[in-house]
Amino acid sequence: MTQQFRTEELPDTDEIEQITRAAWHYYNDGLTQNQIAEILGVSRIKVSRLLEKGRQTGLIELRINSPYGGCLTLQQELADAFGLADARVVPAFDEAPVTPRIGRAAASFLVQKLEPNDLLAIGWGEATTSTLRYMAPVFPNSNISLVSLTGGVSAYIGNTGLYGPQNNAHLIPTPLRVSSPELAEMLRIEPYVRHVLDMAATARIALIGVGSVSNTATLVRYGYCTSAEVELFARRGAVGDVLGYFYDADGHILDLDLHRHVVAVRPDDMRRIPNVAAAAAGPQKIEAILGLLRGRLANILVTDETTARELLRRKG
């Protein structure tokens, strides 16, 4: 069967031979373009052009034999479907817990995106904790600072190795939820708390978890909400929470008394952060993630393959 080229400008016989030799040395032998240039007696720029022409004409076709291949397609589909700036999807693997795998993927993404002396704002939840554990070795050499988006973070960040006098961690020194709206407001205007809240809003990148509305939600397990409250919130239309604020299926923040007890950056202020990455996966999180994305509460998603497929199916 004759090779079908994809462009009108077909290489001649001599150029086909050069492209073939360049591709063989580059992809099979692992040689650099400089090394190939010496072998072929051409410039490095010429080698680069040969490889590019080989790809454009169809002489070179790359095949990635990896479970991540399909996930790369899903990433683009998620970004297109929900208007995301970026997405990361890890392959499905039922034999391993999902949270550590999502944490590792989120850590990998953040390490690629964060720059030296950057400020990373962090939210509440187990996905955040898992991510920070994987990132711990990176922080000492990068001078990246952490700033919390909510109170209560110090309760679980201590075992990540990132919170101590030697680290640049600026955490709100309060619980996530306090006993009265009056106390919450007093704490928000207390100088150090106000300073941290204002600092969080200036971050370039934020990492948040996505809470589900269930008796097993992290807020319930940490004692910030009761099962009865969560059931009431669900009856009022809640599908998930972010930073302790519950929202409906379209991502609208509900009018709940609980929100007046929360010490955290408000969702509208969080939206001003250019890159808000949400890390979440699992069947119990589908409704919560859908609402989060519909409400533009995050513009980056880190999830797994099964969750990604269900999100796309349910987008509607």
Side-chain angles (χ1 to χ4, degrees), residues 172 174 181-198 262-264 266:
I172 299 172
T174 72
E182 293 77 19
L183 177 56
E185 188 57 35
M186 287 177 60
L187 289 170
R188 289 191 197 101
I189 63 176
E190 195 277 330
Y192 183 76
V193 175
R194 182 73 264 160
H195 172 74
V196 176
L197 288 170
D198 289 343
V262 169
V263 183
R266 291 183 170 88

Side-chain angles (χ1 to χ4, degrees), residues 3-299:
Q3 170 71 49
Q4 297 296 312
F5 295 110
R6 292 194 291 266
T7 68
E8 295 180 2
E9 185 181 349
L10 299 177
D12 59 29
T13 302
D14 290 340
E15 194 172 28
I16 288 175
E17 181 181 356
Q18 278 192 314
I19 290 172
T20 304
R21 291 185 183 277
W24 184 268
H25 290 314
Y26 190 70
Y27 293 106
N28 276 26
D29 298 335
L31 300 184
T32 67
Q33 292 186 13
N34 283 330
Q35 290 171 321
I36 297 168
E38 291 182 9
I39 292 172
L40 299 183
V42 298
S43 68
R44 187 197 65 78
I45 296 298
K46 175 67 173 177
V47 172
S48 178
R49 288 172 178 167
L50 288 171
L51 293 172
E52 179 61 25
K53 190 166 188 177
R55 288 188 290 267
Q56 290 179 351
T57 60
L59 278 170
I60 299 173
E61 292 185 352
L62 299 181
R63 179 179 177 182
I64 302 174
N65 295 314
S66 162
Y68 279 90
C71 291
L72 295 177
T73 300
L74 284 173
Q75 289 175 186
Q76 188 59 55
E77 291 177 353
L78 280 174
D80 292 342
F82 294 99
L84 300 176
D86 210 334
R88 290 293 184 273
V89 177
V90 298
F93 185 57
D94 295 337
E95 285 72 24
V98 67
T99 299
R101 300 181 65 240
I102 297 304
R104 187 182 296 111
S108 175
F109 171 80
L110 290 171
V111 167
Q112 293 171 31
K113 298 298 181 182
L114 286 165
E115 300 172 357
N117 304 310
D118 235 335
L119 179 64
L120 172 63
I122 56 172
W124 164 269
E126 291 183 345
T128 301
T129 310
S130 177
T131 301
L132 293 177
R133 285 198 193 102
Y134 287 110
M135 293 184 70
V138 175
F139 281 86
N141 300 321
S142 60
N143 201 33
I144 294 170
S145 296
L146 295 176
V147 60
S148 63
L149 291 160
T150 75
V153 170
S154 58
Y156 65 82
I157 197 177
N159 63 357
T160 64
L162 293 173
Y163 186 36
Q166 75 282 8
N167 294 308
N168 296 326
H170 308 278
L171 307 184
I172 299 172
T174 72
L176 173 63
R177 179 185 184 181
V178 296
S179 58
S180 71
E182 293 77 19
L183 177 56
E185 188 57 35
M186 287 177 60
L187 289 170
R188 289 191 197 101
I189 63 176
E190 195 277 330
Y192 183 76
V193 175
R194 182 73 264 160
H195 172 74
V196 176
L197 288 170
D198 289 343
M199 183 187 295
T202 70
R204 189 174 63 87
I205 300 178
L207 170 68
I208 61 172
V210 182
S212 61
V213 181
S214 72
N215 292 334
T216 60
T218 307
L219 286 177
V220 175
R221 287 189 284 108
Y222 274 80
Y224 284 121
C225 289
T226 66
S227 297
E229 284 179 311
V230 168
E231 182 176 348
L232 175 61
F233 300 157
R235 291 181 183 277
R236 291 184 176 177
V239 298
D241 89 273
V242 58
L243 309 184
Y245 295 93
F246 286 82
Y247 53 84
D248 65 17
D250 293 316
H252 299 138
I253 304 298
L254 297 172
D255 183 13
L256 302 175
D257 181 63
L258 165 72
H259 298 164
R260 289 176 275 279
H261 294 248
V262 169
V263 183
V265 170
R266 291 183 170 88
D268 283 345
D269 292 326
M270 184 185 69
R271 284 190 180 99
R272 297 192 183 100
I273 298 174
N275 305 284
V276 180
Q284 77 282 4
K285 296 286 182 82
I286 296 295
E287 293 290 345
I289 299 171
L290 280 171
L292 182 97
L293 298 181
R294 288 169 180 156
R296 308 292 185 185
L297 292 164
N299 61 354

